[in-house]
Amino acid sequence: MEEAVSPLAAEAAELVTMANADPQAAVAAADALLVRSDAADDTRARAIAWRARGLAAANLMELDQAVESLEAATAAAATTGDLRLLATVQMTQGGVLSWAGESGRALAIMSEALAQLSGADRARALVQRGAVHYRIANFDAALADFDDAFPLLEGRDQMWLGNLLVNRALTRAYLGSLALAEDDLLAARSVYEDLDQSLPVAQCTQNLGWLAVRQGDLPKALRYLDQAEEQFEAIDGNPAEVWVVR
């Protein structure tokens, strides 16, 4: 049974977004909110705050702290009786475990969580699990997850659709489907442009350059890489990877 969302739980949910935008501030805010949620005996807020803290620590590459925080988040979420909340926390836990080199455990946890999710929530989880499969070169399994997620995200969550398309493009490239990979990257770049997401746009252009190298079209590769460098510089980004590929 899903609990009513308290003000503390709503505040904790905002920290999940902060964990990506400003992870250092998110850690401090989560620590403060954990004290308040303990005082209020708000287990749901505690679970979400631990999740935010774990994600923020992972973004700071403090992986031991991230894993510990997400263990605490999972334990707290399990006591709420809200299976959707538990599954959401487990998906974050699985992603962090894969970054920490525990891909087998990550996939087991993610597969357990997927059984509790449906619709767009399930699609986002499939993209996350597919990314883990991709990271350990299980390309066929990754592609299956991305293909399953695609119809559930199309027209519902454009940011996650863009993420799916990029991951599917890279997977297809490694499987040798270079034309389909290019289609996915061009579609992803269009999605990010519509969302005014300048950094992912530049990253897509860089990946198009890398893909053109694999296609053997070096003039096209250089055009994309020059364009990517301009896009990174326009947002004060770091074009170092562009230089490496070029």
Side-chain angles (χ1 to χ4, degrees), residues 158 187-197 201:
Q158 292 302 98
R189 189 170 67 166
S190 179
V191 167
Y192 291 136
E193 286 171 342
D194 288 344
L195 295 171
D196 293 323
Q197 294 290 318
V201 167

Side-chain angles (χ1 to χ4, degrees), residues 100-162:
E102 298 187 48
S103 295
R105 186 178 172 211
L107 289 170
I109 289 172
M110 288 175 156
S111 297
E112 178 184 342
L114 272 162
Q116 306 299 332
L117 297 172
S118 61
D121 287 333
R122 178 175 176 81
R124 288 187 283 267
L126 284 167
V127 174
Q128 290 176 274
R129 188 176 70 175
V132 175
H133 279 304
Y134 168 79
R135 195 172 295 123
I136 59 175
N138 287 344
F139 297 129
D140 289 330
L143 188 59
D145 278 348
F146 298 143
D147 285 345
D148 286 349
F150 184 82
L152 299 173
L153 283 177
E154 194 174 23
R156 295 188 183 186
D157 188 328
Q158 292 302 98
M159 191 67 193
W160 274 90
L161 179 63

